[in-house]
Amino acid sequence: MNTRSTAVSNPVGQQFRFWGRNTNTSSPGQYKAKADDFVGSFYAVLNRWRSETKFLSDPAKIALHPSYAALVENAEKVIPLIKMELSREPSHLIWVLEDHFGTDPYSPGDEGNVAKQTNRWLSYLDANG
């Protein structure tokens, strides 16, 4: 059961202009973004979210941070990076996956066990591409 707000919004209207936009307009071809294009941006947003919420205990306040909204909105583009981070260390990045995909692949008995939830998400992502 999700104890935080699942409504993901950007309460301060902050946009992360470096995600999902091709600023090179002189190119005549179509540009398809790849996860590698977002590595620096992903870590900048992730590090900001972590540093500005590390002393918060309220899951709703953590999830209302503008960086969290940016992570959820752009999760599809950086799934490999999220997987790599979760493989290194279980974390609340699982919330980003829950809110992005609208599901949680673990049983109610796993609630509160971030390590177990992380393992379930890694298995889910491997099984579902």
Side-chain angles (χ1 to χ4, degrees), residues 13-28:
Q14 184 171 359
Q15 295 298 315
F16 295 95
R17 62 180 169 75
F18 40 75
W19 280 31
R21 294 202 175 107
N22 179 14
T23 57
N24 182 1
T25 56
S26 64
S27 174

Side-chain angles (χ1 to χ4, degrees), residues 34-71:
K34 298 177 185 75
D36 291 349
D37 300 335
F38 300 97
V39 174
S41 299
F42 169 75
Y43 282 106
V45 173
L46 177 63
N47 290 336
R48 179 179 175 212
W49 179 52
R50 285 178 171 166
S51 70
E52 293 181 7
T53 62
K54 67 182 169 187
F55 296 112
L56 298 178
S57 60
D58 182 351
K61 287 182 181 178
I62 295 168
L64 285 173
H65 191 278
S67 292
Y68 180 81
L71 289 167

Side-chain angles (χ1 to χ4, degrees), residues 2 4 6 8 68-69 71-83 86 93-106 120-129:
N2 194 341
R4 64 191 187 288
T6 57
V8 176
Y68 180 81
L71 289 167
V72 172
E73 181 181 330
N74 295 284
E76 193 69 37
K77 298 172 186 137
V78 292
I79 292 293
L81 299 173
I82 292 173
K83 283 177 62 175
L86 289 173
L93 271 173
I94 57 173
W95 295 353
V96 170
L97 296 173
E98 288 174 15
D99 286 340
H100 178 74
F101 290 107
T103 188
D104 48 6
Y106 39 82
R120 300 267 195 222
W121 264 112
L122 292 172
S123 296
Y124 176 88
L125 291 171
D126 287 340
N128 294 289

